[in-house]
């Protein structure tokens, strides 16, 4: 089996930071979308002004964010499927720790993707700064 | 598979009985509690945690009595039981007490008691810091609650919206709120630091990140949230207090300020706060459910997802408290989206509990009763939360009794019921006795019926048009019956609380001791014998399962006989293990401090600053602060970074660990890092305020307004960067044991930092910026002062390092102090650079 | 584990008759001059409908979750393996909420822009300023001179009206539950709210944002009238105050001016031009006194003048209880005559 030859899974290759990549991407996407819209409406157009450039920008942020989340989620899924072990990843082994962090990363990526999509849906319905 | 465990096994043979007895005697001596009045100098997590919890419960009772007063007043229309002014104080103090003196402290206090026990640690990494947090909390809490009896309580609502609280409420009430709660928030951040480091660095060997009890995951997330949620409020409180005391117009539109800024800062704290309360409470249910269905939780990974996901998304909800402030529709929509998204992880965790119950065989018990009752209530609160997250519905529901109903369903179902479940579940671990099943059930039905009778009608009271925070209402608008029912329900609810309180305090001397691990739970906190010993665990186990008491053979016996790590206290000192964050590999044997009154004096003197400040007695306040800093220095000097008598120690099972670690290997370094993340967040909030003013004004900085110029801020930036570099050199030269070079570099850094601080203030000073005239000079001054204070604190750090080396307490090998100072200076440098870029750079870019 | 969830099971199997009568009581219990569930405006109708749909969904979801928990507790379903139980989490915890919330969110987005849309050009505009603890109301009909009144709002039925909202002192919030959602009034900012009444009637508006001591006593009557009736009313309000018709009122006017009332109050057509308090030109024609606190009549006027701070704690206006009863009565008669 390939895994028997797999290298050891030392701690230094693992960190909690990878777990929170996707929600962090959501947070950045969310804040950027909000700030872009708020600054545009406050500084550049009147109350009835168009939102068109903001909608395109948010669409762009969304593509980038979903891409990053997909990458992080795929990475998590791969780790979750590492070796031949199944859930609940509760053994006191580097392998299960690796798989558990992968699984949690994967789930967080799914949630973050939904949250980013929710935010992005907003632009479909709003065309001006009111 | 390569990943089979190769962990050390416990000792195969039982240690000789005589040795076991001798070890127990030494451990008992090391962990003994001080006697007599000195008892109050104890710092053991079990003592401090219990004081903390008991005090929080007292404040809960106080807040509850205030609620009953309000319900009496509102029982009938046009009632004159309370005057308008008293009612306004009462509802303000009710909300503030429940949030700041009950919900947040009780989460931290329960965690202080049980986190180390769940992690098989003897104590938290900074016991004196917990004690300090407790004394701050007690002092601030008494001061704030007491004000009500003098009619001097805050009356601006727990949300303290200016201009009502800045210009329309003279008297000390608002100052008390701003300074008192800032003080308590600082204590809360101290506890958060403790809990994060405890969860990540003080686990038992083998308890990898995939094995830690779910409670600890929740606490980790909630404590991390505290770091980012509280600083915006502290920053906001500072702005508001400066406006009240010195008339800097941060929220006054006449001076270019904006009351809406306060709302942003307040709710940036206020919404995550709800989840900071909810997550650690639901965490108790995550411990209770597996115990009573006799199986591991189903969906451990999903629960972790839910905790972490909720922690993040809850920071994207704050504007839903501001849906009616006239923000653009797109902003409302974005926050609606996040407010709906946060329901998904919440749903996931509830279904994890249901799935676990479905997969196991349930044993009836009082804690389960409260857990299920709490969920039934919470789910309804969550569903009305989904409703108000839609901006359109919120236009009607906002600021009405519908919201009062919603938030009580969430907080009582999501926090109070789980906490009572926790009382019934954990009580034997505190006193060795169980609480009464009979009283527990009676109380449950009183609480459950009383709660729903009180708050279910309020949904309709609100939708029929009754706004919140009204001391009276006219007859005949359709509120009369609904309010009367709510008031009757409130007393039923109150009687339920009284029954629980009686069960907690009733004398139990004649009641037999509970069996050890009475619920047959699987996690480490159930190791203690009854009544529990002060040492926490007899020996620190090697863990290889999520439920070691269920799954590791002979586990309790091996722990009891000292077959694991640290079974002894040879030197008579308090010790615990430090392990790595992911895989829990032991890396250090940490010596913990014993009983001391220093934390009390530190809290007292620093509290003096805030309390005297309330009365605007600035000089005595400042004097108290200076004494406080002195006390803290004494504390650090005498009790931290002690050089051990030997470099390493054998901790059992063939493992030898260092007794001293510095830099990122030490727990102190992590504490500084985490604290500074919170401080930096407060700074970011101030920078946010600067740019917020830019967005609301067509012209900001105002054309023709005097700025701080470019020269002095840049000089300050350069000087502080040089001070930072000198600190880095000092650290390096200390490590290289070049004492002379170290002294030169450290002294230079002190001089450069002082010069930098002065130059930072010189900008706005020399250009004559008047902070009372307009918000632009005010915010520039504040950023400059903030940065200068950082530099001065950096001077204290470096001066302390100089003194330590001079006194022979710091050397090339034992260099915790200079590492922590260097870490602090990273943040000073970052703060200075951002400040210079904002106050000098931004006006140029415009 | 039976007993404590029995309430749950009872709720999941309500008696049919009981449920029907409960619904009837509920609906009857939703009416009222201040009820958002008894809509008389386009926005309020939209939001009330949304509420009822969501409330129905809430009941269904709550009962479903309670039933699932109950059957898990009772072991009604065969004991699940962990793998089977995990489908609960994926289905009930993740997929179901995601689908339902997506639908709800899209619906919420769809109905939001119309609620925020301004009234079409040429519509009636009414500037309302929230002050501790009353309302300054200025009607701004298109192309006509504005008319300043206070503490009462009248609207033509069927027409969108734009409210322009601000506050000189603290934050207030303008809310007429029967007509639509609320909007905050924030010092230094101007907010807008469009309401369109769909039926005539008398309703009640309140301040929804805590604004200090007498926040609870800051309300106003709302009268929705036929268009022609409204125009006639506004024209009458535009006219200056009537001269006192009887000697008592005449004496009242003298006392009104003599006691300094004019420093704060305006009565158009007299030398009273104060701007601090409410305009009193047609105060006698208003339905209430003290911003929705007392029903307007002679006795209430006397009470207001003599015990202002008792009627409305913290109010800026000093009380005139030191005046002789006859003088108070005269002032009240004068104010009552200002129709």
């Amino acid at each position: 089996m390939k895994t028997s030859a797999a290298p050891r899974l030392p701690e230094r290759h693992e960190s909690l930071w990878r777990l929170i990549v996707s929600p962090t991407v959501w947070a950045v996407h969310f804040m950027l979308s909000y700030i872009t819209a708020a600054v545009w409406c406050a500084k550049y157009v009147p109350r009835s002004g168009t939102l068109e450039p903001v909608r395109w920008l948010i669409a762009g942020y969304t593509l980038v964010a979903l891409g990053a989340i997909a990458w992080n989620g795929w990475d998590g899924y791969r780790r979750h499927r590492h070796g031949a072990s199944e859930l609940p990843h509760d053994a006191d082994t580097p392998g299960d720790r690796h798989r558990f962090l992968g699984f949690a990363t994967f789930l967080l990526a799914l949630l973050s993707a939904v949250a980013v999509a929710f935010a992005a849906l907003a632009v479909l319905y709003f065309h001006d700064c009111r | 598979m390569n990943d089979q465990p190769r962990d050390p096994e416990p000792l195969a043979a039982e240690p000789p009985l005589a040795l076991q007895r001798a070890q127990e005697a030494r451990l008992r001596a090391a962990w003994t509690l001080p006697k007599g009045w000195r008892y109050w100098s104890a710092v053991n997590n079990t003592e401090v945690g219990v004081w903390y919890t008991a005090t929080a419960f007292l404040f809960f009772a106080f807040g509850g009595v205030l609620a009953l007063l309000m319900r009496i007043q509102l029982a009938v229309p046009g009632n004159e039981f309370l005057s308008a002014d008293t009612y306004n104080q009462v509802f303000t103090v009710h909300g503030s007490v429940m949030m700041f003196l009950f919900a947040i402290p009780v989460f931290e206090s329960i965690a202080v008691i049980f986190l180390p026990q769940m992690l098989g640690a003897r104590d938290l990494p900074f016991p004196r810091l917990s004690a300090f947090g407790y004394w701050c909390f007690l002092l601030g809490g008494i001061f704030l609650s007491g004000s009500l009896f003098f009619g001097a309580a805050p009356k601006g609502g727990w949300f303290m919206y200016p201009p009502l609280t800045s210009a329309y409420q003279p008297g000390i009430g608002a100052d008390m709120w701003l300074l008192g709660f800032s003080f308590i928030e600082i204590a809360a951040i101290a506890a958060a630091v403790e809990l994060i480091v405890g969860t990540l660095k003080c686990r038992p060997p083998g308890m990898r990140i995939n094995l830690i009890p779910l409670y600890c995951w929740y606490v980790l997330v909630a404590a991390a949230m505290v770091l980012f949620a509280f600083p915006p409020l502290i920053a906001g409180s500072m702005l508001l207090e400066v406006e009240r005391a010195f008339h800097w117009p941060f929220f006054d539109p006449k001076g270019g300020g904006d009351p809406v800024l306060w709302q942003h800062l307040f709710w940036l704290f206020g919404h995550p706060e709800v989840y900071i309360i909810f997550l650690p409470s639901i965490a108790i249910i995550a411990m209770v459910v597996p115990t009573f269905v006799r199986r591991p939780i189903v969906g451990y990974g999903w629960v972790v997802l839910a905790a972490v996901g909720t922690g993040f998304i809850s920071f994207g909800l704050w504007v839903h408290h501001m849906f009616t402030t006239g923000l653009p529709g797109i902003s409302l929509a974005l926050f609606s989206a996040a407010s709906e998204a946060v329901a998904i992880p919440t749903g996931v965790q509830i279904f994890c509990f249901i799935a676990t119950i479905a997969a196991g065989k349930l044993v009836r018990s009082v804690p389960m009763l409260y857990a299920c009752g709490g969920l039934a209530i919470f789910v309804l609160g969550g569903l009305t939360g989904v409703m108000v997250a839609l901006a359109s519905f919120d236009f009607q529901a906002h600021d009405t009794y519908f919201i009062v109903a919603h938030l009580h369903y969430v907080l009582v179902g999501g926090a109070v019921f789980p906490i009572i479940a926790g009382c019934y579940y954990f009580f034997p671990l505190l006193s060795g006795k169980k609480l009464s099943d009979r009283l527990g059930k009676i109380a449950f039905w009183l609480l459950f019926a009383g709660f729903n009778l009180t708050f279910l009608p309020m949904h309709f009271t609100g939708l029929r048009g009754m706004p919140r925070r009204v001391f009276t209402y006219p007859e005949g608008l359709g509120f009369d019956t609904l309010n009367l029912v709510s008031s009757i329900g409130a007393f039923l609810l109150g009687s339920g609380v009284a029954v629980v309180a009686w069960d907690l305090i009733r004398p139990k001397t004649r009641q037999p001791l509970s069996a050890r691990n009475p619920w047959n739970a699987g996690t480490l906190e159930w190791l203690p014998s009854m009544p529990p010993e002060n040492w926490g665990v007899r020996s620190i186990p090697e863990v290889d399962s999520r439920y070691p008491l269920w799954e590791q053979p002979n586990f309790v016996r091996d722990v009891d006989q000292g077959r694991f790590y640290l079974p002894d206290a040879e030197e008579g000192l308090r010790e615990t293990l430090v392990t790595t964050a992911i895989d829990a590999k032991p890396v250090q044997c940490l010596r913990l401090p014993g009983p001391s009154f220093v934390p009390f004096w530190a809290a007292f003197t620093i509290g003096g600053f805030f309390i005297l400040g309330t009365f605007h007695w600035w000089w005595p306040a400042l004097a108290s602060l200076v004494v406080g800093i002195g006390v803290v220095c004494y504390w650090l000097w005498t009790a931290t970074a002690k050089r051990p008598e030997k470099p390493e120690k054998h901790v059992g099972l063939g493992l030898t660990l260092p007794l001293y670690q510095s830099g990122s290997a030490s727990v102190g370094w992590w504490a500084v890092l985490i604290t500074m993340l919170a401080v930096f967040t407060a700074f970011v909030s101030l920078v946010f305020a600067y740019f917020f003013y830019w967005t609301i004004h067509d012209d900001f900085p105002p054309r023709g307004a005097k700025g701080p110029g470019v020269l002095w801020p840049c000089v300050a930036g350069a000087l502080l960067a040089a001070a930072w570099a000198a600190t880095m050199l000092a650290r390096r030269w200390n490590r290289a044991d070049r004492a002379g070079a170290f002294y030169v570099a450290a002294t230079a850094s002190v001089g450069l930092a002082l010069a930098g601080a002065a130059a930072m203030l010189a900008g706005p000073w020399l250009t004559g910026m008047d902070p009372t005239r307009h918000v632009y000079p005010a915010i520039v001054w504040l950023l400059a002062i903030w940065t200068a204070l950082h530099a001065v604190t950096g001077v204290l750090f470096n001066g302390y390092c100089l003194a330590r080396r001079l006194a022979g307490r710091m050397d090339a090998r034992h260099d915790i102090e200079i590492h922590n100072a260097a870490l602090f200076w990273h943040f000073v440098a970052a703060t200075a650079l951002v400040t210079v870029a904002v106050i000098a750079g931004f006006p140029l870019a415009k | 584990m039976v007993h404590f969830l029995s309430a749950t099971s009872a709720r999941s199997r309500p008696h049919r008759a009981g449920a029907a009568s409960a619904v009837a009581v509920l609906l009857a219990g939703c009416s009222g001059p201040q009820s958002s569930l008894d809509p008389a405006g386009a926005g309020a109708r939209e939001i009330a409908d949304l509420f009822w749909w969501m409330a129905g969904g809430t009941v269904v979801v709550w009962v479903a979750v309670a039933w699932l928990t109950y059957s898990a507790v009772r072991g009604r379903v065969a004991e699940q393996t962990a793998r089977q139980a995990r489908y609960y989490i994926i289905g009930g915890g993740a997929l179901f909420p995601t689908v339902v919330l997506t639908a709800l969110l899209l619906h919420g987005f769809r109905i939001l822009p119309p609620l925020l849309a301004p009234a079409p050009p040429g519509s009636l505009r009414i500037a309302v300023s929230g002050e501790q603890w009353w309302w300054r109301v200025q009607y701004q009909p298109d192309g006509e001179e504005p008319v300043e009144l206070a503490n009462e709002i009248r609207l033509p039925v069927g027409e969108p009206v734009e409210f322009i909202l601000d506050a000189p002192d603290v934050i207030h919030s303008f809310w007429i539950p029967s007509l639509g959602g609320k909007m905050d009034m924030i010092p230094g900012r101007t907010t807008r709210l469009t309401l369109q009444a769909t039926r005539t009637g008398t309703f009640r508006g309140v301040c929804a944002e805590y604004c200090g001591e007498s926040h609870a006593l800051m309300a106003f009557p709302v009268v929705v009238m036929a268009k022609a009736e409204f125009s006639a009313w506004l024209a009458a309000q535009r006219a200056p105050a009537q001269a006192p018709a009887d000697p008592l009122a005449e004496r009242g006017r003298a006392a009104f001016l003599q006691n300094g009332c004019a420093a704060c109050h305006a009565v158009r057509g007299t030398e009273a031009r104060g701007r601090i308090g409410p305009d009193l030109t047609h105060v006698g024609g208003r339905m209430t006194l003290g911003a929705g606190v007392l029903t307007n009549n002679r006795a209430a006027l006397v009470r207001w003048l003599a015990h202002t701070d008792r009627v409305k704690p913290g109010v800026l206006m000093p009380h005139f209880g030191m005046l002789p009863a006859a003088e108070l009565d005269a002032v009240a008669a004068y104010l009552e005559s200002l129709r």
Side-chain angles (χ1 to χ4, degrees), chain A residues 1 3 6-8 11 14-16 19-20 23-24 26 30-31 33-34 37 39 41-43 47 51 88-97 99-101 103 107-108 111 114-115 118-119 122-123 126 129-130, chain B residues 1-5 7 200 206 208-211 217 264 300-302 304-305 308-309 312-313 316 318-319 326-331 333-335 337-338 341 344-345 543-544 546 580-583 694-695 697-698:
Chain A
M1 223 165 85
T3 50
R8 281 190 63 237
E11 183 185 13
E14 205 86 61
S15 82
L16 287 176
L19 182 67
I20 57 169
T24 307
W26 165 81
F30 184 78
M31 287 311 296
S33 303
Y34 168 58
V39 168
C41 289
K43 298 292 285 188
R47 193 76 177 152
L51 208 53
H89 302 328
D90 62 350
D92 173 23
T93 60
D96 256 10
R97 173 260 292 153
R99 283 182 280 271
F100 161 74
L101 283 177
F103 182 57
L107 291 182
L108 274 168
L111 173 65
V114 171
F118 274 14
V123 303
F126 294 84
C129 279
R130 279 191 285 262
Chain B
M1 295 287 294
N2 67 318
D3 49 341
Q4 288 312 305
D7 291 329
L200 290 178
R208 297 173 196 272
I209 198 93
N210 57 325
L211 302 184
W217 269 109
H264 280 291
Y300 179 95
W302 290 86
V304 173
L305 148 88
V308 177
F312 269 87
I313 296 179
W318 84 87
V319 166
L327 297 176
I330 181 81
S331 301
L334 285 168
F335 283 88
I344 297 171
V543 168
D544 17 276
R546 284 177 188 162
T580 56
I582 301 287
D583 276 337
W694 170 71
T695 64
H697 290 290
D698 291 335

Side-chain angles (χ1 to χ4, degrees), chain A residues 43-63:
Chain A
K43 298 292 285 188
Y44 298 103
V45 290
R47 193 76 177 152
S48 55
T50 175
L51 208 53
E52 215 52 33
V54 172
R55 301 176 76 211
W56 284 107
L57 274 172
I58 293 182
Y61 301 158
T62 305
L63 284 180

